Amino acid sequence: MTTFTDDQLSQLSKLAKNTLIEHLGITYKEISLDKVVMTMPVGPNVHQPYGVLHGGASVVLAETAASIATAINIDQETHVCFGMEINANHIRTMADGLLIATATPFHKGRSTMVWHIELTNEEGETICISRCTVSVRKKKLTSNKKRGWDINKSSI
């Protein structure tokens, strides 16, 4: 099993600067080719009007975990990945604490990858289950100058 170093996790965190990932406080906890664990704090900034976690915030965390899981499984010099489809079943609510997403593979193919993502609270209770299909495409662009980083230079 390949695991990633603290330096590589730090690089991922830097790439998240000024993105929805940073805005929601999503962090990387564990990354390997067959398992990605990420967390997101739950509080008023991700609540729906009834004062509990908004389902859309859960979906953002689930898709982020699936996208990162796909990205580390492809040759980033020649390919790029994009979320294609996601579904989510919201099992229970939470108002505060830490939401933990664990993505594991259902299918890892050349053109798509499908991930099962379980979102739990800190007590291990299931908050949401999700399945996300991520498309894998050959690169057409060589850089993303607006973001200030070269997608061909990724070392992850």
Side-chain angles (χ1 to χ4, degrees):
M1 174 174 82
T2 301
T3 56
F4 294 81
T5 67
D6 288 340
D7 286 342
Q8 289 168 317
L9 293 176
S10 176
Q11 180 186 7
L12 282 172
S13 294
K14 287 178 186 174
L15 292 176
K17 187 143 182 71
N18 296 318
T19 69
L20 186 58
I21 296 168
E22 179 183 59
H23 178 72
L24 294 179
I26 295 172
T27 59
Y28 307 92
K29 294 300 179 189
E30 179 184 339
I31 297 184
S32 67
L33 295 176
D34 288 321
K35 183 179 179 183
V36 169
V37 179
M38 303 180 82
T39 63
M40 180 180 71
V42 176
N45 67 321
V46 294
H47 282 173
Q48 46 116 306
Y50 293 113
V52 296
L53 176 64
H54 191 291
S58 296
V59 173
V60 168
L61 180 59
E63 185 167 345
T64 301
S67 294
I68 293 298
T70 300
I72 64 173
N73 276 279
I74 63 173
D75 180 350
Q76 293 184 32
E77 294 290 322
T78 59
H79 290 77
V80 65
C81 59
F82 300 98
M84 190 167 144
E85 186 273 339
I86 189 164
N87 70 40
N89 295 91
H90 305 289
I91 308 301
R92 69 173 40 88
T93 63
M94 64 185 288
D96 54 31
L98 199 61
L99 185 62
I100 303 161
T102 303
T104 54
F106 180 77
H107 164 76
K108 294 195 313 187
R110 287 178 297 146
S111 61
T112 61
M113 294 194 192
V114 181
W115 296 89
H116 171 78
I117 309 99
E118 183 172 7
L119 290 87
T120 61
N121 61 19
E122 294 168 284
E123 289 76 38
E125 298 172 310
T126 301
I127 303 301
C128 177
I129 55 172
S130 180
R131 185 185 65 241
C132 185
T133 303
V134 182
S135 175
V136 177
R137 301 282 184 196
K138 285 189 179 187
K139 278 187 180 177
K140 293 181 182 175
L141 300 174
T142 59
S143 67
N144 184 341
K145 294 177 183 173
K146 184 176 180 182
R147 292 269 305 131
W149 52 274
D150 186 343
I151 58 178
N152 288 322
K153 301 294 182 190
S154 178
S155 63
I156 298 170

